[in-house]
Amino acid sequence: MNRNEPLVLGIESSCDETGVGIVRGTRMLANTVSSSMEEHVRFGGVIPEIAARAHLDAFVPTLDQALRTANVTLDEIDAIAVTSGPGLAGALMVGVSAAKALAVATGKPLYAINHLVAHVGVGVLEGTVLPEQFGALLVSGGHTEILRVGSLTEDVQLLGATIDDAAGEAFDKVARLLGLGYPGGPAISKAAVEGDRKAFRFPRGLSLPKFVGTAEKPGKHRHNFSFSGLKTSVARCVEHFEAAGEEVPVADIAASFQEAVVDVITSKAVRACQEHGLTTLLLGGGVAANRRLRELLAARCASAGIGLTVPPFELCTDNGGMVAALGAQLVAGGAEPSGLEFATDSSQPVTEILR
Ligand code: KG4
Ligand code: ZN
């Protein structure tokens, strides 16, 4: 096997995107995504059973397309990587079963990898030379986490996480409140363009310092997030306009809500890096597609002297390229394959990089 620049096929099926990516070393050759998002729109959220069935229909055509785009055959592939978790159980099962079948049919080694680590590991495709230790900010529909990464393949530690909703989930819920539809993230950021982000001052969860006497002490939750109070505050605001029979200022609320989320995420990520002496930060996850988040994080990292790596838009939301990218890092690092016995884990912790 080519451990220097391994040719790796990555399979992703944790939510509503069927993704197959092909990477050689740190170069992406194909990244084909088929989404069942349209089928979930009328329900206002992903329906697991529908997502799983859609993966079944989409897998083979998505694989064929990726192989054609990369201009490689299954025979030439060095290894197969697949998301084993976290995610929707039924959806994960389809990708993992497909990956195991491919591994058996081709005799290629199979790596069962963590979706969350893949989200931040996608940064290596940008040619980023990673330092000894770095921070990672993961913001997706299911997770909001600050990580300290000693090695993408061996050492990921959790510094902070949300204690209630994930950032993307907050976007999705608030979009529903504002009648903006699903998925909420893109809908809110679009509406926010026309709005005033200072129109309303919504709460920044868990961001007040703790005082012992007059001395400011770092609070227990200083690296953690909470978005449920923010969501309630937006709901009250909407109700207030409705009760008064006034038109709801959707754009202003969207912009102010987005600012509250982005403000708290960026300030906490920068503080965590500073406290842990991390001078490089990788951003990843679906919410990383948010323009205001990218803008404010870039500004705050720049003033704190932190180098920031932001994935291109198409690599922020779920895709197979990120799975292949992390798979290639594992193969190159000499990691043992997972075999065929592993199970999916819908709540696989971020510290378990490889099953
Ligand atoms: O990482 P991802 O594709 O799936 C999970 O692993 O959860 O993230 C999806 C989430 C959704 O909640 C979606 O609303 C959010 O990412 N999202 C955004 C934007 N684009 C997608 N949130 C804010 N602004 C965006 N532009
Ligand atoms: Zn994801």
Side-chain angles (χ1 to χ4, degrees):
M1 183 179 357
N2 179 355
R3 292 231 180 232
N4 246 349
E5 284 215 307
L7 183 64
V8 177
L9 178 83
I11 298 170
E12 156 63 34
S13 74
S14 67
C15 192
D16 57 344
E17 266 92 28
T18 313
V20 178
I22 299 173
V23 162
R24 193 189 298 278
T26 56
R27 202 156 49 86
M28 176 108 85
L29 305 184
N31 191 26
T32 309
V33 178
S34 163
S35 177
S36 62
M37 194 181 299
E38 292 293 303
E39 296 175 55
H40 307 289
V41 167
R42 69 193 172 100
F43 303 104
V46 176
I47 306 296
E49 185 62 25
I50 295 178
R53 282 166 194 269
H55 287 307
L56 266 179
D57 289 338
F59 182 73
V60 173
T62 308
L63 171 67
D64 283 343
Q65 176 68 50
L67 289 167
R68 267 200 307 275
T69 307
N71 199 20
V72 300
T73 62
L74 276 178
D75 239 17
E76 294 170 74
I77 300 278
D78 288 306
I80 300 165
V82 63
T83 298
S84 55
L88 303 172
L92 287 166
M93 214 96 78
V94 179
V96 166
S97 304
K100 286 183 178 176
L102 277 179
V104 170
T106 59
K108 308 289 181 186
L110 178 59
Y111 294 78
I113 69 170
N114 189 302
H115 177 83
L116 305 177
V117 181
H119 262 306
V120 296
V122 78
V124 299
L125 294 176
E126 293 305 283
T128 313
V129 179
L130 298 172
E132 188 90 338
Q133 286 234 7
F134 55 94
L137 172 61
L138 172 73
V139 277
S140 75
H143 293 80
T144 306
E145 297 178 348
I146 306 176
L147 312 171
R148 174 168 56 183
V149 185
S151 147
L152 268 180
T153 56
E154 283 175 352
D155 175 22
V156 174
Q157 289 166 35
L158 187 63
L159 298 181
T162 180
I163 61 167
D164 42 54
D165 292 348
E169 198 178 353
F171 270 93
D172 294 335
K173 287 179 177 171
V174 165
R176 205 174 312 159
L177 281 173
L178 294 175
L180 290 174
Y182 176 85
I188 289 203
S189 39
K190 194 161 159 236
V193 173
E194 309 292 323
D196 173 6
R197 59 178 177 248
K198 297 209 174 100
F200 302 94
R201 173 80 194 175
F202 290 127
R204 272 72 169 156
L206 305 180
S207 62
L208 290 178
K210 192 177 152 201
F211 287 96
V212 176
T214 52
E216 190 181 321
K217 292 268 186 230
K220 176 173 101 178
H221 280 306
R222 70 195 184 285
H223 300 324
N224 291 338
F225 303 95
S226 167
F227 296 111
S228 69
L230 168 60
K231 180 190 60 194
T232 307
S233 177
V234 172
R236 293 290 99 82
C237 178
V238 171
E239 282 164 15
H240 163 84
F241 284 101
E242 283 172 349
E246 291 170 34
E247 195 181 323
V248 177
V250 170
D252 283 348
I253 295 178
S256 304
F257 160 78
Q258 174 177 267
E259 193 64 11
V261 174
V262 164
D263 180 22
V264 80
I265 288 178
T266 53
S267 55
K268 280 179 181 256
V270 167
R271 183 203 283 157
C273 285
Q274 287 171 325
E275 283 187 18
H276 288 88
L278 306 168
T279 54
T280 300
L281 180 68
L282 258 56
L283 175 67
V287 182
N290 186 279
R291 284 179 198 279
R292 179 63 185 148
L293 172 63
R294 296 161 86 98
E295 177 183 72
L296 196 59
L297 189 60
R300 287 185 171 167
C301 281
S303 37
I306 295 167
L308 175 67
T309 299
V310 177
F313 288 101
E314 68 276 13
L315 293 183
C316 290
T317 43
D318 294 346
N319 65 86
M322 67 189 199
V323 179
L326 179 57
Q329 295 287 305
L330 285 160
V331 173
E336 276 295 308
S338 307
L340 295 170
E341 299 300 311
F342 69 88
T344 56
D345 181 357
S346 51
S347 51
Q348 190 170 333
V350 71
T351 46
E352 188 186 8
I353 303 162
L354 177 64
R355 294 220 96 194

